[in-house]
């Protein structure tokens, strides 16, 4: 029997991400703009296959070839004739949908491998019986042989993404360890980014660094980037203003020449494009899945503004300068001026990449965020679907909390996302000494509030938050933002902005905090005891917060192991709502100040010691977290998968093509998404995979 965490259950939630209402309100020009941006995003999103695992691209092509010839409904008869039961065929459809939704065979949330929940010989029989195999037996046999072993492999290293012995990664070659990654980062920090075509020679070639030879080449993902640039160029024709046109021009330059500086320049124009009807962002953005925490995974999104919800976020932005001083660190540790960002609620039309978040705060370039600004985005139609909860699937809560939880989970999460993105990621100053020796703070007088002494460390030159804090940077920053959300949701003004007053406001606070401590317990699913490592930044952050609030004592949080009604191990988590504003607030105040001080002062040693301590999962102390992890795995519910629409140009207009919320609907959306140039695209993906293959030996 395979451990259930390594396959997707047949009854996994699959929901259509509805955006028809918002899309149909767009003008013809806006629809064209959205269409070509979406096409760019979808083709760029295929890069994630190559960024995830050595076998992901081959599996994707195998599935595409099968489903291009036969729809899921047509293939079902073939499956039955090949000896598959209806449950086994459904398991195959769920696996295929999972690969498309995660853009690879590792879960985007948790980085765990998933394999088909049917015997390998049954899947092989289905592949061989398919029309695609009948039409091209030699090619399909070769494709099956190239990926079938890894498709099912659950050797220890194959079970999760990671560096060296801890897992699989395609960000580094198979022989790289943490020391190699650290040396590589030092080398990269020493190089100036290539910005224009004429400077190619300065960043490509062979270099000697600390007695090691580094060879720098360009051209990764070339055929895919060419498609992205082509569609971005077509989108430019329909741009609403010069900022959008210049933004897209810089993105094209970035993807053509591999220039980070060009992408930063495009991001500057993006920030200046205030309140667009069609919002988008594209590029190598989030570094969660690089085991070293530095390289960005490709993503691209296109979304339409939800005006009613955006008005609430605009009021939150207007209140930001009043709320920032409420945060528990000295004003010198806050940015010199708060650059009011755009903060909009969007209905997603397209989100290409490994997964879809509920909120985004971008760009991730610290120098731009600190001095020029950023944008906040809340994805309204994602929130509406992702956090709808059925009572019978609500684990680890007391019965009397469940109805309240279901009623207020959505509204409370909306508050948390707003605070997390705007005042969490948007707050706090980094102390920097630039390449010219100039400081952005008074280093002779700046006092560290934790030690009472003058600040003795800071960021120097090209150092960034990610390059300094590396492996803990993503999770640490998510934890800081989550703590800001918990802390400021206690503010009545904040609750009033979101329309919550009196008893309702207190219920929102209670469920927000209860949801956080429950999420901390659920986070144990994403911890790997064998390597003592966390596989998901947000869930590690929530576990850390649970530990902090348990440590606060005084009966604030209760966590006990019990036996469930089914006779199997279970757990109950409780929160004393009368102590949130006192014991809870004080605990978060103390912890959040520490997080910010270590971050501001680039104190990696202090920050890592603090964060690693609270991230520890063991069986010592008052709670056996290793045993609780087994209980969490026993009762876990897999995250929903989203079926997204396609757009299609028909004459002078753009059609929106929507699909049913099922595994078959998700599969159909992907086969139709790339039908215009399917054979060439699949050949390109296989060639790119083959080019990288020597790195994994």
């Amino acid at each position: 029997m395979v451990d259930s965490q390594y396959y997707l259950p047949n009854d996994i939630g699959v929901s259509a991400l509805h955006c028809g209402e918002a899309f149909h309100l767009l003008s013809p020009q806006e629809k064209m703009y959205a269409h070509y941006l979406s096409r760019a995003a979808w083709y760029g999103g295929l890069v994630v296959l190559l960024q995830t695992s050595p076998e992901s691209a081959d599996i994707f092509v195998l599935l595409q070839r099968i489903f291009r010839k036969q729809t899921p409904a047509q293939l079902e008869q073939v499956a039955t004739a090949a000896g598959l039961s209806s449950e086994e065929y459904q398991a195959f459809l769920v696996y295929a949908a999972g690969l498309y939704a995660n853009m690879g065979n590792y879960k985007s949330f948790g980085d765990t491998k998933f394999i088909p929940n049917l015997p390998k010989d049954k899947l092989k029989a289905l592949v061989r019986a398919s029309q695609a195999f009948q039409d091209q037996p030699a090619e399909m046999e070769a494709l099956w042989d190239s990926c079938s072993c890894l498709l099912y492999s659950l050797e220890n290293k194959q079970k999760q993404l990671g560096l060296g012995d801890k897992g699989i990664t395609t960000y580094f070659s198979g022989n790289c360890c943490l020391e190699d990654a650290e040396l590589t980062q030092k080398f990269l920090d020493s190089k100036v980014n290539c910005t224009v075509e004429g400077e190619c020679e300065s960043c490509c070639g062979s270099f000697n660094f600390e007695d090691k030879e580094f060879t720098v080449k360009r051209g990764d993902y070339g055929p895919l980037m060419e498609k992205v640039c082509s569609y971005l160029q077509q989108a430019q024709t329909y741009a609403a203003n010069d900022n959008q046109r210049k933004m897209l021009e810089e993105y094209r330059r970035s993807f053509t020449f591999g220039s980070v500086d060009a992408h930063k320049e495009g991001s500057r124009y993006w920030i200046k494009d205030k309140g667009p009807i069609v919002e988008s962002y594209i590029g190598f953005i989030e570094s969660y899945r690089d085991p070293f925490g530095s390289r960005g995974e490709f993503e691209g999104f296109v979304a339409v503004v939800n005006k009613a919800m955006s008005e609430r976020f605009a009021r939150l932005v207007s209140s930001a300068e009043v709320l920032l001083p409420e945060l528990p660190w000295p004003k010198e540790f806050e940015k010199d001026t708060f650059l009011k960002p755009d903060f909009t609620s969007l209905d997603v039309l397209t989100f290409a990449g490994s997964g879809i978040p509920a909120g985004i705060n971008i760009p991730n370039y610290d120098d731009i965020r600190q001095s020029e600004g950023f944008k906040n985005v809340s994805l309204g139609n994602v929130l509406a679907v992702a956090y709808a909860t059925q009572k019978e699937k609500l684990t680890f809560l007391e019965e009397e909390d469940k109805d309240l939880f279901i009623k207020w989970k959505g509204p409370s999460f909306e508050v948390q996302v707003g605070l997390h993105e705007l005042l969490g990621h948007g707050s706090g100053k980094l102390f920097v000494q630039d390449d010219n020796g100039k400081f952005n703070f008074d280093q002779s007088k700046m006092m560290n509030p934790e030690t009472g002494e003058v600040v003795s460390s800071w960021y120097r030159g090209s150092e960034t938050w990610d390059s300094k804090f590396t492996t803990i940077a993503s999770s640490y920053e998510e934890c800081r933002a989550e703590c800001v959300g918990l802390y400021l949701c206690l503010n009545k003004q904040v609750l009033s902005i979101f329309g919550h007053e009196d008893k309702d406001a207190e219920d929102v606070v209670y469920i927000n905090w209860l949801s956080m401590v429950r999420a901390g317990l659920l986070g144990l699913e994403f911890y790997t005891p064998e390597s003592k490592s966390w596989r998901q930044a947000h869930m590690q952050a929530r576990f850390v917060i649970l530990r902090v609030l348990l440590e606060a004592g005084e009966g604030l949080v209760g966590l006990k192991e019990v036996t469930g009604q089914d006779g199997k191990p279970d757990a109950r988590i409780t929160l004393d709502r009368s102590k949130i504003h006192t014991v809870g607030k004080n605990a978060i105040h103390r912890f959040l100040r520490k997080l910010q001080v270590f971050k501001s002062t680039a104190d990696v040693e202090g920050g890592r010691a603090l964060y690693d301590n609270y991230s520890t999962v063991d069986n010592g102390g008052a709670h056996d977290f290793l045993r609780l992890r087994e209980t969490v795995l026993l009762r876990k519910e897999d995250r929903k998968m989203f079926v997204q629409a396609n757009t299609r140009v028909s004459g002078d207009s753009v059609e929106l093509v929507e699909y049913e919320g099922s595994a078959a609907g998700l599969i159909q959306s992907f086969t139709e998404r790339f039908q215009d140039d399917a054979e060439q695209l699949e050949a390109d993906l296989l060639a790119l995979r083959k080019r990288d293959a020597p790195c994994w030996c």
Side-chain angles (χ1 to χ4, degrees):
M1 288 290 291
V2 173
D3 188 328
S4 65
Q5 69 173 309
Y6 298 113
Y7 60 76
L8 304 175
N10 278 10
D11 64 350
I12 191 170
V14 185
S15 298
L17 200 56
H18 294 296
C19 59
E21 188 178 340
F23 184 79
H24 293 310
L25 292 173
L26 296 178
S27 70
Q29 179 182 341
E30 289 163 349
K31 286 178 181 176
M32 283 290 191
Y33 184 63
H35 166 74
Y36 287 114
L37 286 176
S38 291
R39 301 303 290 155
W42 284 123
Y43 277 88
L46 295 173
V47 166
V48 179
L49 293 165
L50 300 155
Q51 290 185 296
T52 298
S53 72
E55 66 274 15
S56 285
D58 282 5
I59 301 170
F60 176 87
V61 173
L62 180 74
L63 294 172
Q64 286 289 89
R65 288 186 176 173
I66 290 171
F67 289 118
R68 276 200 291 114
K69 294 288 186 180
Q70 291 165 295
T71 66
Q74 292 167 338
L75 194 64
E76 187 168 12
Q77 297 170 337
V78 177
T80 303
L84 276 71
S85 68
S86 59
E87 289 79 14
E88 287 169 336
Y89 183 63
Q90 179 62 19
F92 168 63
L93 293 184
V94 165
Y95 176 80
L99 186 114
Y100 289 136
N102 291 279
M103 263 296 104
N105 60 337
Y106 287 76
K107 294 177 187 176
S108 64
F109 200 87
D111 294 343
T112 309
K113 188 173 188 175
F114 58 95
I115 66 170
N117 189 19
L118 71 158
K120 186 175 179 179
D121 60 341
K122 293 284 186 80
L123 179 53
K124 184 176 183 178
L126 176 59
V127 170
R128 289 189 151 206
S130 69
Q131 188 62 49
F133 194 95
Q134 306 308 311
D135 292 350
Q136 293 182 301
E139 291 89 338
M140 289 294 285
E141 186 79 48
L143 199 47
W144 170 258
D145 289 344
S146 73
C147 64
S148 56
C149 288
L150 287 174
L151 194 148
Y152 273 93
S153 172
L154 282 176
E155 293 177 19
N156 281 340
K157 186 175 175 178
Q158 297 281 340
K159 288 179 178 178
Q160 65 282 313
L161 299 179
L163 185 60
D165 295 334
K166 291 189 174 182
I168 293 297
T169 182
T170 57
Y171 287 97
F172 297 89
S173 59
N175 60 347
C176 277
C177 61
L178 183 61
E179 289 74 22
D180 296 319
E182 288 170 342
L183 179 63
T184 303
Q185 186 64 50
K186 285 173 68 178
F187 164 72
L188 292 170
D189 286 342
S190 74
K191 301 300 294 176
V192 177
N193 179 248
C194 175
T195 54
V196 292
E197 190 175 10
E199 294 178 19
C200 292
E201 296 75 19
S202 68
C203 55
C204 290
S206 294
F207 304 89
N208 191 279
F209 183 79
E210 294 194 5
D211 298 324
K212 299 287 190 297
E213 186 172 318
F214 286 85
T215 303
V216 181
K217 300 177 182 178
R218 63 186 343 121
D220 252 6
Y221 323 125
L224 297 176
M225 292 296 100
E226 196 172 349
K227 294 289 290 187
V228 171
C229 290
S230 172
Y231 283 121
L232 291 178
Q233 186 170 16
Q234 291 176 79
Q236 277 180 283
T237 307
Y238 301 98
N241 54 55
D242 275 347
N243 279 325
Q244 289 182 359
R245 276 185 284 276
K246 290 174 181 175
M247 167 188 84
L248 296 178
E249 188 60 43
E250 292 297 338
Y251 291 162
R252 284 175 53 215
R253 201 157 66 93
S254 174
F255 302 145
T256 300
F257 302 122
S259 167
V260 174
D261 280 353
H263 196 269
K264 290 172 81 168
E265 196 61 29
S267 298
R268 290 185 172 98
Y269 286 118
W270 179 69
I271 293 166
K272 292 173 186 173
D273 185 29
K274 300 287 186 186
I277 301 299
V278 177
E279 183 62 282
S280 68
Y281 198 60
I282 191 168
F284 297 87
I285 312 299
E286 301 293 353
S287 58
Y288 300 125
R289 297 181 97 194
D290 170 8
F292 194 64
S294 185
R295 291 149 193 79
E297 183 179 72
F298 199 95
E299 68 180 46
F301 78 83
V302 184
V304 183
V305 170
N306 178 322
K307 290 183 179 176
M309 185 64 69
S310 295
E311 285 175 11
R312 295 185 198 174
F313 290 129
R315 289 201 295 274
L316 187 64
V317 172
S318 297
S319 305
E321 285 160 299
V322 178
L323 295 171
L324 280 170
E326 299 286 314
L327 291 170
W329 49 77
K331 67 179 189 301
E332 293 81 11
F333 281 69
E334 193 46 70
K335 291 177 183 140
D336 300 332
T337 54
F338 180 72
L339 300 159
K340 284 189 177 180
D342 241 14
F343 198 164
T344 47
S345 178
L346 305 174
D347 285 345
V348 170
L349 170 64
T350 295
F351 206 113
S354 63
I356 309 180
I360 315 170
N361 175 289
I362 36 183
N364 285 338
Y365 303 116
D366 284 330
D367 50 342
I368 294 179
R369 294 161 64 86
Q370 292 275 320
S371 59
E372 296 174 60
F374 53 92
K375 281 186 182 181
N376 287 280
V377 168
S378 175
L379 303 177
N381 57 344
V382 176
L383 280 170
V385 174
Y387 296 95
T389 310
Q390 295 172 283
K391 190 172 181 178
E392 59 272 19
K393 291 189 175 181
L394 203 48
T395 52
F396 309 129
L397 295 179
E398 297 285 9
E399 281 301 314
E400 58 264 30
D401 281 330
K402 289 185 178 180
D403 287 333
L404 202 65
F405 191 94
I406 288 167
K407 180 179 180 181
W408 292 111
K409 176 69 175 90
S412 70
F413 195 68
E414 180 184 290
V415 173
Q416 180 68 12
V417 167
L419 293 171
H420 172 115
E421 300 295 349
L422 174 67
L423 297 166
H425 292 315
S427 66
K429 180 173 181 172
L430 302 185
F431 296 152
V432 178
Q433 180 184 16
D434 67 21
D435 288 325
N436 298 319
K438 185 181 176 184
F439 291 86
N440 69 344
F441 67 104
D442 188 340
Q443 83 279 13
S444 65
K445 295 180 181 176
M446 186 65 69
M447 302 300 291
N448 182 323
E450 291 296 314
T451 63
E453 298 172 358
V454 174
V455 163
S456 57
S457 57
W458 47 83
Y459 299 86
R460 299 169 191 268
S462 62
E463 289 178 344
T464 66
W465 162 248
D466 277 336
S467 73
K468 285 290 284 184
F469 282 72
T470 63
T471 54
I472 66 164
S474 290
S475 185
Y476 186 112
E477 174 59 13
E478 293 305 330
C479 187
R480 194 183 69 88
E482 291 284 46
C483 285
V484 168
L486 287 181
Y487 194 77
L488 289 179
C489 83
L490 303 176
N491 186 297
K492 287 183 178 178
Q493 181 185 351
V494 167
L495 295 163
S496 182
I497 287 169
F498 285 90
H500 308 304
E501 306 284 354
D502 305 324
K503 174 69 165 61
D504 285 355
E506 285 305 310
D507 284 346
V508 166
V509 168
Y510 175 58
I511 295 305
N512 195 36
W513 280 61
L514 180 63
S515 180
M516 185 63 71
V517 293
R518 177 176 178 263
L521 179 59
L522 296 176
L524 287 167
E525 175 191 341
F526 302 94
Y527 177 77
T528 304
E530 293 79 8
S531 58
K532 296 185 177 179
S533 61
W534 284 90
R535 307 187 310 275
Q536 214 294 319
H538 299 79
M539 298 312 279
Q540 179 183 356
R542 291 157 189 165
F543 177 76
V544 165
I545 291 169
L546 170 63
R547 290 283 308 271
V548 168
L549 294 177
L550 282 168
E551 184 183 84
E554 298 186 47
L556 173 67
V557 175
L559 175 58
K560 61 182 179 181
E561 296 181 65
V562 298
T563 301
Q565 291 181 340
D566 56 4
K568 296 176 181 177
D570 206 340
R572 289 291 175 271
I573 194 151
T574 55
L575 175 70
D576 186 339
R577 64 189 296 164
S578 71
K579 294 178 179 175
I580 294 173
H581 284 269
T582 52
V583 181
K585 183 178 182 181
N586 290 339
I588 294 296
H589 181 286
R590 291 190 298 271
F591 182 61
L592 183 51
R593 189 171 81 165
K594 285 188 174 76
L595 290 176
Q596 183 57 50
V597 169
F598 288 136
K599 181 181 180 183
S600 289
T601 60
D603 185 350
V604 180
E605 192 177 330
R608 189 175 286 278
L610 174 76
Y611 204 67
D612 285 350
N613 176 53
Y614 283 111
S615 297
T616 302
V617 177
D618 57 24
N619 53 7
H623 301 285
D624 187 337
F625 286 115
L626 287 171
R627 193 165 63 216
L628 279 163
R629 176 181 173 273
E630 296 300 320
T631 303
V632 169
L633 287 173
L634 178 70
R635 300 188 178 276
K636 75 182 180 74
E637 181 185 3
D638 282 88
R639 289 170 72 83
K640 290 177 183 170
M641 297 190 287
F642 295 110
V643 183
Q644 298 184 59
N646 284 322
T647 52
R648 189 164 55 205
V649 174
S650 177
D652 294 332
S653 62
V654 179
E655 295 176 357
L656 185 72
V657 185
E658 297 192 278
Y659 304 88
E660 68 174 29
S662 66
L666 206 161
I667 291 164
Q668 186 186 354
S669 74
F670 267 88
T671 49
E672 292 184 7
R673 192 159 283 147
F674 303 107
Q675 60 190 2
D676 294 346
D677 59 349
E679 291 187 8
Q680 183 60 53
L681 177 64
E682 290 160 13
D684 287 341
L685 282 169
L686 294 178
L688 288 168
R689 191 274 307 161
K690 189 175 180 181
R691 194 177 76 169
D692 286 347
C695 298
W696 321 133
C697 298

